[in-house]
Amino acid sequence: MSDQEEQATDPVGPQGATQFIANDPLLKPFLQPEFDPLSFVKSVCGKDQAPAHQSRVMHALDKALEHVHRDLQSQISGNYEHLISQLGMLSTMKETHSQVSAKISGLREAMDAILQATQPSLISLRSATNDLVFTQKTLDILRLVNQFLRLPPKKKTTG
């Protein structure tokens, strides 16, 4: 590969992997939302492509991977303390989750036991409630009958 091609695929100066890929016409398709890896490979490895083109694409991909690796290393080293603290929090959260899960399981078991213990009383209470409703309706009917019976008799008219 010539020096001109090298500079086209590896611009001078530090830059992020995304910027590197965006500036390289061979790799720019990777940033498209509709990027199809299979179509890309077919277009690069097709019979109508010269080996030199395939070599340029492979070199550009290698350089892009180097940029990604460098960016990743930079992010890890730049955020090391934060990542470590997040791991500590994650461990604490895992322990808390386990404790809460155990307590929820215990609560669920206690609620099931209460439900089992109160089930007969609940059935009895429902039955008594139904009896009470029936008795109240009967009482209402008897009150109406009593009022009806207390009405003065209607006088017959002759005519």
Side-chain angles (χ1 to χ4, degrees), residues 3-157:
D3 285 349
Q4 272 186 329
E5 290 173 338
E6 181 83 26
Q7 286 178 347
T9 58
D10 190 15
V12 178
Q15 60 181 335
T18 304
Q19 185 181 0
F20 174 80
I21 292 170
N23 291 336
D24 190 319
L26 295 173
L27 301 178
K28 206 169 197 172
F30 279 87
L31 300 179
Q32 302 302 318
E34 63 276 352
F35 175 72
D36 180 20
L38 187 59
S39 297
F40 180 79
V41 169
K42 285 180 182 178
S43 72
V44 171
C45 296
K47 292 179 182 179
D48 58 337
Q49 293 296 333
H53 175 71
Q54 293 173 354
S55 178
R56 281 192 304 274
V57 172
M58 293 303 292
H59 180 73
L61 287 170
D62 285 341
K63 289 293 183 181
L65 286 174
E66 287 175 17
H67 279 273
V68 169
H69 181 73
R70 187 179 64 215
D71 286 356
L72 188 56
Q73 290 295 344
S74 173
Q75 289 292 321
I76 290 172
S77 64
N79 296 303
Y80 181 78
E81 292 300 322
H82 179 71
L83 292 170
I84 294 298
S85 70
Q86 293 297 317
L87 284 174
M89 275 192 348
L90 187 60
S91 176
T92 302
M93 287 175 66
K94 187 175 180 181
E95 289 174 25
T96 303
H97 177 266
S98 296
Q99 292 170 353
V100 168
S101 292
K103 289 179 181 180
I104 288 175
S105 294
L107 181 60
R108 190 173 289 136
E109 289 173 12
M111 289 176 67
D112 287 344
I114 290 170
L115 183 62
Q116 292 295 326
T118 59
Q119 194 71 21
S121 298
L122 182 61
I123 292 170
S124 176
L125 185 59
R126 282 186 185 149
S127 177
T129 302
N130 289 337
D131 290 346
L132 180 61
V133 168
F134 177 75
T135 303
Q136 285 176 334
K137 287 181 181 180
T138 303
L139 182 61
D140 290 341
I141 292 171
L142 288 175
R143 282 187 184 137
L144 289 173
V145 168
N146 185 27
Q147 286 176 356
F148 178 74
L149 291 176
R150 288 187 178 192
L151 289 175
K154 190 175 183 184
K155 293 188 179 183
K156 291 184 183 181
T157 57

